[in-house]
Amino acid sequence: MTTATDKAVREIRWHGRGGQGTVTAAKMLASAAIIRGKYGQAMPEFGLERSGTPVKVSTRISDNPINTRAPVDSPEIVIITDPSLMFTTRDIIVSGTDENTIFIVNTNFPPEKVRQILGIPNNELWIVDASKIAMEEFGRNIPNTAVLGAVAKATGLVDLEALEQEITEAFGASSKLRNVLEQNLKALRRGYEEVYKA
């Protein structure tokens, strides 16, 4: 497993549900790293993505070319975009982790409850209520851009400006999507500002 002191390759594993933008967020994180001159890779691990089904995604960010396409088995960082998965797939979420793994969780639960559910009493833990942000900005529980902002703040893997650039490029120059773009940028910034280390 990559340790916090070895920045050459950063391995991240995402846990979410289909329809909430987890795969998109993982790809945007990798793309934002590429914008900054690094190498990035994002690989979903599912069959047919259906709304509501659990989704697992591996992301790697490196200063050098990435020569593996294997799933991330021992993540340095675990990102949980849907808090209900802590109850239904807890063993899958914590598999391959150790006391050095950083957890970033979308939830409104108090930190003590998150630590108890996941069994991570001493791990570095960051919490953001990305679902609340999504509901306030979009009117739907699509927490991916708010989670991305939280990841930028918690890890320093990419900067906020690179993510803003990636999101802006993803929506293109269409005036029809201008409002959606602004909503996503606001959610991104709020995730960055509202995440906290527990």
Side-chain angles (χ1 to χ4, degrees):
M1 187 178 91
T2 307
T3 65
T5 56
D6 179 10
K7 306 295 185 187
V9 179
R10 310 295 296 273
E11 294 192 324
I12 306 104
R13 195 170 67 210
W14 303 69
H15 297 270
R17 290 189 184 277
Q20 292 184 328
T22 303
V23 175
T24 299
K27 290 178 178 178
M28 284 186 164
L29 181 66
S31 295
I34 292 169
I35 287 171
R36 290 295 182 246
K38 296 182 179 290
Y39 294 86
Q41 174 193 86
M43 300 172 301
E45 300 175 47
F46 53 73
L48 294 173
E49 183 182 9
R50 293 178 297 165
S51 182
T53 59
V55 174
K56 187 165 59 168
V57 190
S58 296
T59 301
R60 288 183 178 88
I61 294 173
S62 177
D63 295 326
N64 302 304
I66 300 167
N67 297 316
T68 180
R69 295 195 63 80
V72 169
D73 292 325
S74 300
E76 175 189 350
I77 300 161
V78 169
I79 302 164
I80 303 170
T81 61
D82 189 302
S84 70
L85 293 173
M86 293 189 292
F87 298 96
T88 60
T89 62
R90 182 250 175 215
D91 290 347
I92 294 171
I93 289 171
V94 300
S95 68
T97 66
D98 61 22
E99 66 277 2
N100 296 312
T101 306
I102 299 166
F103 286 80
I104 303 168
V105 184
N106 164 31
T107 186
N108 59 7
F109 294 161
E112 298 77 18
K113 184 172 183 178
V114 175
R115 291 186 181 281
Q116 180 182 25
I117 295 167
L118 294 176
I120 53 166
N122 301 311
N123 288 71
E124 184 175 323
L125 173 64
W126 293 76
I127 290 180
V128 62
D129 195 344
S131 291
K132 176 187 174 189
I133 294 170
M135 291 302 297
E136 291 175 354
E137 298 302 332
F138 311 123
R140 295 186 297 158
N141 184 18
I142 305 176
N144 60 338
T145 46
V147 169
L148 268 176
V151 171
K153 178 71 168 286
T155 67
L157 287 169
V158 296
D159 57 88
L160 194 61
E161 292 74 18
L163 287 170
E164 289 173 337
Q165 181 179 335
E166 172 60 25
I167 289 172
T168 301
E169 290 176 358
F171 282 95
S174 172
S175 59
K176 293 180 181 178
L177 297 177
R178 176 59 56 186
N179 187 51
V180 178
L181 170 61
E182 291 304 323
Q183 289 173 326
N184 276 277
L185 291 174
K186 188 173 180 183
L188 175 78
R189 293 165 188 147
R190 284 189 61 185
Y192 186 91
E193 293 164 0
E194 295 177 27
V195 69
Y196 66 93
K197 187 176 181 180

